[in-house]
Amino acid sequence: MKNYRGVKQIIKGMPASDGDGVQLTRIIGTPYLDQLDPFLLLDAFGSDKPQDYIGGFPAHPHRGFETVTYMLDGKMRHKDSAGNDGVIEAGGVQWMTAGSGIIHSEMPEQEDGLLSGFQLWVNLPASHKMATPKYQEFSKEQIPTEIRDEYCSVTVIAGETSLSTKGVIVNEFVKPIYWDINLKKGGRLIDTIPSEHNAFIYVYEGSVSVEKNNDEKQNLQDSNLEEIRKGDLAILENGEKIRVIANSDSRFLLIAGRPLNEPIERAGPFVMNTKQEIQQAFNDYRLGRLVG
Ligand code: MN
């Protein structure tokens, strides 16, 4: 019975600059990987050089999807057109539903030291692209981390593990999984992912291998292992389960979501279903009507 997900494709990120000169690696939202339904963009940022991040992301609009910021190191202050204001600290997540429209800024709350983390864009279904904007925001202390054994811990931002640890984020449209996994050399993670979900792994420290063999035997053979190195995104094949082993002390994101299977029109900070809706978003922004 085929049920373990192997690696379908390995994608390398590309250097990019966004906001006011912030240096980052774009992994989804490039010519190599335009999108992985329902995920529209994945950026990794990480530098201890202030010139790489100090400009931040000054005021800019969004409409039609969700932006998810997960900080590993440093602090980022966000402010929006509705008067919301807060700081995302290391280990914290902000899951922002832009919906009908928001204008916000995301600026480093520090002048030196390490700033690192990820931004993921999650699409909204046509029925909810114009929903009222909202935030789901959690600090490191509020997000559960499941300690499986001396080799493996799983921080569960969204989704539910096979050991019944529930993530803090609610999203009934794509039922996302967003796990940050710490796997020490020789450790193994086995879990389930809903079979209809698109799923990927992004390794940001070390190296792991996905075990694509479909039987339940415990002894892994080299021929059945597909390596994913630091900086690589692996799109996973269809299946219900995943088995990952660490080749060295590793950290990686496991992210999955139910595809929306809807037409996508995107332009800069707007992601809608039709060209007309994109034009409307630009018009609304120009006329100061994007918000609300
Ligand atoms: Mn933004």
Side-chain angles (χ1 to χ4, degrees):
M1 192 172 92
K2 180 167 177 57
N3 56 10
Y4 281 95
R5 290 176 182 246
V7 172
K8 190 172 178 183
Q9 195 181 353
I10 298 273
I11 303 285
K12 306 236 178 245
M14 56 190 288
S17 175
D18 209 337
D20 186 7
V22 177
Q23 302 302 305
L24 48 83
T25 302
R26 183 149 293 161
I27 308 134
I28 301 177
T30 74
Y32 306 114
L33 182 60
D34 178 40
Q35 55 120 359
L36 183 65
D37 191 5
F39 306 111
L40 301 160
L41 176 141
L42 177 67
D43 285 343
F45 50 91
S47 178
D48 57 7
K49 301 189 198 79
Q51 69 266 27
D52 287 347
Y53 62 71
I54 204 74
F57 303 89
H60 59 278
H62 293 296
R63 173 179 280 179
F65 60 102
E66 301 184 300
T67 69
V68 180
T69 305
Y70 176 43
M71 294 296 294
L72 294 177
D73 300 283
K75 298 178 184 184
M76 193 81 94
R77 175 172 292 277
H78 70 93
K79 284 185 187 175
D80 76 15
S81 48
N84 298 297
D85 185 353
V87 176
I88 313 166
E89 303 205 22
V93 69
Q94 182 200 62
W95 198 292
M96 182 187 86
T97 305
S100 61
I102 213 158
I103 298 170
H104 76 161
S105 62
E106 301 154 288
M107 302 297 287
E109 185 81 349
Q110 64 193 57
E111 290 178 354
D112 54 29
L114 181 60
L115 183 88
S116 72
F118 304 98
Q119 180 153 121
L120 176 73
W121 288 8
V122 184
N123 207 0
L124 285 166
S127 59
H128 286 75
K129 282 187 174 293
M130 296 299 279
T132 305
K134 71 167 185 177
Y135 291 91
Q136 300 181 71
E137 239 179 277
F138 299 93
S139 67
K140 180 183 174 71
E141 292 69 32
Q142 294 171 308
I143 301 170
T145 291
E146 183 182 280
I147 311 287
R148 298 213 169 171
D149 55 41
E150 58 187 307
Y151 294 100
C152 179
S153 65
V154 183
T155 296
V156 186
I157 294 167
E160 183 173 353
T161 71
S162 56
L163 301 181
S164 301
T165 302
K166 285 193 178 69
V168 286
I169 298 299
V170 177
N171 174 323
E172 294 300 324
F173 310 124
V174 305
K175 301 199 178 288
I177 285 172
Y178 193 134
W179 300 346
D180 180 11
I181 297 155
N182 194 325
L183 202 56
K184 299 235 180 307
K185 184 177 180 179
R188 188 189 292 190
L189 170 88
I190 299 174
D191 217 300
T192 57
I193 301 175
S195 56
E196 74 272 24
H197 278 38
N198 284 331
F200 67 87
I201 282 174
Y202 178 71
V203 176
Y204 66 93
E205 265 182 46
S207 153
V208 302
S209 291
V210 167
E211 211 279 310
K212 64 179 176 179
N213 200 24
N214 294 315
D215 66 38
E216 299 285 347
K217 72 179 168 42
Q218 291 300 301
N219 294 321
L220 304 180
Q221 293 173 3
D222 288 347
S223 61
N224 292 322
L225 297 176
E226 296 192 77
E227 187 178 7
I228 313 167
R229 297 183 178 87
K230 177 178 178 175
D232 286 350
L233 179 148
I235 303 173
L236 301 178
E237 292 171 337
N238 294 331
E240 289 140 21
K241 297 183 187 177
I242 180 150
R243 188 153 48 179
V244 184
I245 63 170
N247 304 312
S248 58
D249 290 355
S250 300
R251 292 191 67 181
F252 61 98
L253 304 178
L254 171 59
I255 295 178
R258 190 166 63 187
L260 294 170
N261 295 312
E262 292 183 353
I264 294 172
E265 286 290 340
R266 64 195 286 176
F270 307 128
V271 184
M272 305 299 290
N273 300 107
T274 67
K275 286 193 167 67
Q276 191 185 357
E277 289 165 347
I278 290 290
Q279 196 56 51
Q280 186 67 50
F282 278 107
N283 286 344
D284 287 350
Y285 182 46
R286 203 156 38 224
L287 296 170
R289 291 183 196 147
L290 181 107
V291 178

